[in-house]
Amino acid sequence: MIYTVTLNPSIDYIVQVEDLKLGELNRMKHDDKLPGGKGINVSRVLNQLNVNSQATGFLGGFTGGFIKDWLEEEGVKTGFVKISDDTRINIKLKHGEETEINGLGPTISKQEQTVFFEKMQAVKTGDIVILSGSVPPSLGNNFYEQIIAHCLEIGADFMIDTTGSELLEALPKKPLLIKPNHHELAELFGVPLKTREDIIVYGKKCLDLGAQHVIVSMAGDGALFFEGENVYFAEPIKGVVKNSVGAGDSMIAGFVGAYSVTKEPLEAFKTGVATGTATAFSTDLAKKAFINEMKPKVKLIKL
């Protein structure tokens, strides 16, 4: 089983305004409300790939109810802890360029945290736990570390999708996969990465520090995959980018979903490229038919 952990989910309230005027009445041209959160995105895409997962974390209030109902209607299994505070709403205001206003996240009590770790007892040896996104301030600085320690104790694999010191500290614990983009990789090591050769040096360093597999996404310049002594380059697929939000999460879903079935890293990377690209070319997360359409277009070069 794959478990996706989203500690600070949201409703993403997407508002389109043609000509935003601050201090005046503005009317929306269009709006959408979607379940948000990196782990939630992963579970939604895994569902399109017909790979079982359980989405877990913390949900509360009418906003949490909206997210839970949406996921269950799509067929995604959920195991969230119900909390007394409300799940946040993130506003994405589109008026030419996008302006984001993100909520801080709920206050989560010690008792609610205890219930979360009780639910994590369902994770067994051989399962995969995907840790994605931000941590609400009320959970402190080491909540991911506690989850990783539980995974190591029972023999479950974990994948972590975060940045900075949290990611660096997780590497010696041998995550199944990390997926920084090239900017995040540069930030991780505090160095400028100006060329693909620069990126390769530090992608390999992530392996040396403990990661089992590394994907470095480079937006419109493709992606690099590091496994053992090998480095592969996925050429960018041509198309119209409609949605950068969730493309990275979709790539993670494609890789982990395929790897959980086949244990073939290179085939998993191909699936990850297809799912990430399909989402980038969609208005929401990728659907199964479009993912299947992208798969034959994935071209890999061994460097």
Side-chain angles (χ1 to χ4, degrees):
M1 173 68 82
I2 298 171
Y3 293 84
T4 65
V5 177
T6 310
L7 300 177
N8 204 9
S10 67
I11 292 177
D12 285 348
Y13 186 35
I14 304 166
V15 178
Q16 293 184 354
V17 178
E18 281 194 343
D19 183 21
L20 179 67
K21 296 179 180 177
L22 296 178
E24 299 184 25
L25 174 65
N26 295 272
R27 298 193 183 278
M28 301 176 193
K29 181 182 177 183
H30 182 73
D31 75 307
D32 286 299
K33 304 170 194 70
L34 299 170
K38 295 175 73 61
I40 285 172
N41 290 342
V42 173
S43 269
R44 290 181 65 201
V45 175
L46 285 171
N47 188 52
Q48 293 296 319
L49 296 170
N50 297 324
V51 176
N52 288 329
S53 75
Q54 182 181 93
T56 187
F58 301 96
L59 290 177
F62 74 98
T63 45
F66 172 90
I67 293 170
K68 186 173 184 290
D69 290 347
W70 184 298
L71 294 177
E72 291 181 350
E73 186 173 335
E74 283 192 349
V76 176
K77 185 178 179 182
T78 63
F80 288 92
V81 176
K82 186 175 182 180
I83 58 175
S84 58
D85 208 353
D86 288 350
T87 294
R88 64 182 177 158
I89 298 173
N90 292 341
I91 301 168
K92 300 184 185 298
L93 180 60
K94 297 191 175 186
H95 55 105
E97 58 185 7
E98 183 172 284
T99 299
E100 295 189 51
I101 305 172
N102 285 355
L104 291 174
T107 297
I108 299 169
S109 71
K110 293 295 184 183
Q111 176 58 30
E112 290 162 348
Q113 295 175 41
T114 298
V115 173
F116 171 83
F117 281 106
E118 289 172 353
K119 285 181 174 286
M120 289 298 290
Q121 297 302 314
V123 179
K124 299 290 187 283
T125 302
D127 288 343
I128 301 173
V129 178
I130 298 175
L131 309 173
S132 300
S134 64
V135 179
S138 62
L139 293 181
N141 296 323
N142 68 340
F143 204 79
Y144 274 156
E145 290 178 28
Q146 295 177 60
I147 300 173
I148 292 169
H150 177 68
C151 292
L152 296 178
E153 182 180 351
I154 62 175
D157 275 315
F158 76 95
M159 181 271 160
I160 185 164
D161 183 20
T162 188
T163 58
S165 60
E166 279 185 319
L167 177 55
L168 203 57
E169 290 165 9
L171 290 178
K173 294 160 188 173
K174 302 189 182 305
L176 175 66
L177 172 71
I178 63 167
K179 196 217 67 64
N181 62 38
H182 57 301
H183 298 300
E184 291 166 342
L185 186 65
E187 179 188 342
L188 185 66
F189 292 106
V191 294
L193 300 178
K194 297 181 179 179
T195 66
R196 191 168 73 182
E197 287 68 28
D198 293 338
I199 295 171
I200 288 172
V201 169
Y202 285 92
K204 287 182 176 179
K205 187 169 183 178
C206 291
L207 289 181
D208 293 340
L209 290 173
Q212 297 181 50
H213 306 95
V214 179
I215 295 173
V216 180
S217 54
M218 302 181 293
D221 294 323
L224 292 167
F225 178 59
F226 301 80
E227 190 259 335
E229 296 297 319
N230 300 318
V231 182
Y232 297 89
F233 171 63
E235 297 179 346
I237 298 170
K238 293 181 179 180
V240 178
V241 175
K242 299 179 181 178
N243 173 31
S244 60
V245 177
D249 304 327
S250 299
M251 179 176 273
I252 289 167
F255 180 92
V256 177
Y259 185 82
S260 69
V261 175
T262 67
K263 305 301 182 192
E264 294 287 344
L266 201 57
E267 287 303 312
F269 177 52
K270 289 180 181 178
T271 304
V273 173
T275 50
T277 303
T279 286
F281 293 169
S282 303
T283 54
D284 188 15
L285 298 176
K287 301 298 184 186
K288 181 179 180 179
F290 197 27
I291 294 170
N292 290 336
E293 186 181 326
M294 288 296 107
K295 282 182 179 179
K297 299 182 178 182
V298 177
K299 306 297 182 188
L300 300 186
I301 300 171
K302 186 176 180 180
L303 301 180

